[in-house]
Amino acid sequence: YGNFIDDLRLYVRGGTGGMGYPRLGGEGGRGGDVWFVAQERSTLKSIRERYPQKRFVAGAGANSSVKALKGEKGKDCEVHVPLGISVLCDDGRQIGELNAAGERFLAARGGLGGSLATNFMPCKGQRRIVHLDLKLIADVGLVGFPNAGKSSLLSKISHAKPEIANYAFTTVQPELGKIMYADYKQISVADLPGLIEGAHANKGMGHKFLKHVERTKQLLLVVDISGFQLSIKTQFRTAFETILLLTKELELYKEELLTKPALLAVNKMDLPCAKDNLNELMKQLQNPQDFLHLLQDEMIPANTIEFKDIIPISTYTGEGIEELKACIRKSIDEEAEQENEEYRKKKLLLLQTSG
């Protein structure tokens, strides 16, 4: 998975409390806490490099003494983590989430200081092993089989410089790019490693790819108009079959993914016969039910994706790229307006009920 890390296992321990002072009834200070703090430009790779032991222990509380009957609290330990982090227990249960800069999560609580209730003996801090699971946050996620032209598209619409080559699985780690518009609006786009049939069952880069799709606001499916074949041993798939198979993979991993707004970019329109293939594809997409017999039953998705727009493009000649950028912008703006409208309605309802 290259230099990109999206899962990190850490040991965290709260500080031990300070000793109490039995003779004068003094209380020891509480142990420090371990906090995860979301910070922009932070990465899991930087955490691993800075703290190779991957151990985070907070400071111990001060003992009670004649000079200070109430001991001071131990020093907190703060770990800066990237945005889009889920915090999981060792058993895989999610215990927290950090999505915005400045958000904090208490990973391990410090132990109580010694007092009358504890016979003046201090308590140990909480200790546990946690997993930091990163899911990229982007406005648009590029979804497609290997070699569909996702990396070429990202380099055309944004300033990102992903590796581009004429073989499958060029992208082995997620790439983030930003589309810049004339009015300075920016839309982030994530190019994710190519899916293969069976990705939902964790074949290829299955779950490592699909979990990043969860955090994107919209999907942009990229398909090769001339079809796709992973290797000589696998079956050739037409553009229409490719769309259905991608839908099936998303559906089997998590059905909610299909509720996201989606656009379709039909790539490689510079190839011969592309126009005829596109006409055929449009016919099939208008009435998908009439063409489902082309696939085996287990490969047919329960629901087909409704595309907001279908844009024929060529990353080689640049055809349709500007139109695609405009469609992405329109779709994102419409979605934001809808969210604002829903928020306004909720606020109004709250005001009415409180009134």
Side-chain angles (χ1 to χ4, degrees), residues 21-238:
Y21 200 180
R23 239 177 51 210
L24 301 173
E27 277 185 28
R30 240 193 76 212
D33 305 317
V34 180
W35 291 89
F36 292 150
V37 184
Q39 190 181 52
E40 281 175 15
R41 297 207 177 113
S42 180
T43 64
L44 292 183
K45 189 177 177 227
S46 63
I47 296 174
R48 197 180 69 172
E49 283 172 354
R50 266 186 85 182
Y51 309 98
Q53 300 291 321
K54 295 181 286 186
R55 285 171 61 87
F56 297 93
V57 181
N63 294 337
S64 172
S65 64
V66 177
K67 289 178 184 172
L69 286 178
K70 178 86 171 126
E72 275 191 27
K73 184 178 183 289
K75 196 179 176 197
D76 286 350
C77 170
E78 288 195 352
V79 188
H80 292 129
V81 299
L83 313 187
I85 282 285
S86 298
V87 186
L88 311 174
C89 278
D90 220 13
D91 59 3
R93 189 168 47 87
Q94 185 173 317
I95 51 174
E97 216 171 32
L98 296 157
N99 292 322
E103 279 188 8
R104 297 164 69 84
F105 171 75
L106 181 60
R109 194 180 289 281
L112 293 171
S115 64
L116 186 63
T118 63
N119 206 16
F120 299 99
M121 295 302 289
C123 300
K124 287 185 175 176
Q126 186 183 13
R127 61 175 74 194
R128 57 180 166 193
I129 286 168
V130 294
H131 287 263
L132 298 184
D133 190 37
L134 174 69
K135 292 174 186 171
L136 285 181
I137 300 175
D139 296 315
V140 181
L142 300 184
V143 179
F145 282 133
N147 226 20
K150 299 189 301 301
S151 298
S152 306
L153 178 59
L154 186 69
S155 67
K156 277 270 188 271
I157 60 177
S158 74
H159 297 299
K161 296 282 177 279
E163 188 185 335
I164 298 163
N166 188 22
Y167 55 84
F169 298 113
T170 330
T171 306
V172 291
Q173 61 188 52
E175 290 274 357
L176 268 177
K178 274 194 164 66
I179 309 177
M180 311 284 279
Y181 291 90
D183 61 353
Y184 302 108
K185 181 168 171 78
Q186 297 181 14
I187 289 176
S188 56
V189 181
D191 171 24
L192 306 152
L195 271 176
I196 61 166
E197 289 176 40
H200 69 276
N202 215 8
K203 284 188 184 173
M205 292 190 175
H207 291 179
K208 277 193 167 178
F209 160 85
L210 285 162
K211 74 172 187 180
H212 292 301
V213 181
E214 288 180 53
R215 289 280 174 97
T216 55
K217 290 179 189 168
Q218 305 203 355
L219 305 179
L220 174 59
L221 269 69
V222 185
V223 298
D224 185 335
I225 190 59
S226 55
F228 166 72
Q229 187 172 17
L230 186 61
S231 69
I232 305 161
K233 294 175 187 172
T234 58
Q235 207 174 326
F236 173 78
R237 304 290 185 195
T238 63

Side-chain angles (χ1 to χ4, degrees), residues 65 227 244 305 348:
S65 64
L244 289 182
I305 295 182
L348 196 63

Side-chain angles (χ1 to χ4, degrees), residues 284-322:
Q284 290 169 325
L285 287 172
Q286 272 161 6
N287 298 300
Q289 301 304 322
D290 301 348
F291 299 93
L292 293 181
H293 63 272
L294 298 170
L295 282 170
Q296 295 157 345
D297 287 349
E298 66 270 15
M299 291 183 174
I300 298 168
N303 300 296
T304 49
I305 295 182
E306 291 287 323
F307 295 108
K308 291 179 88 170
D309 276 301
I310 299 169
I311 309 103
I313 62 164
S314 166
T315 52
Y316 183 69
T317 62
E319 175 198 336
I321 297 294
E322 287 306 313

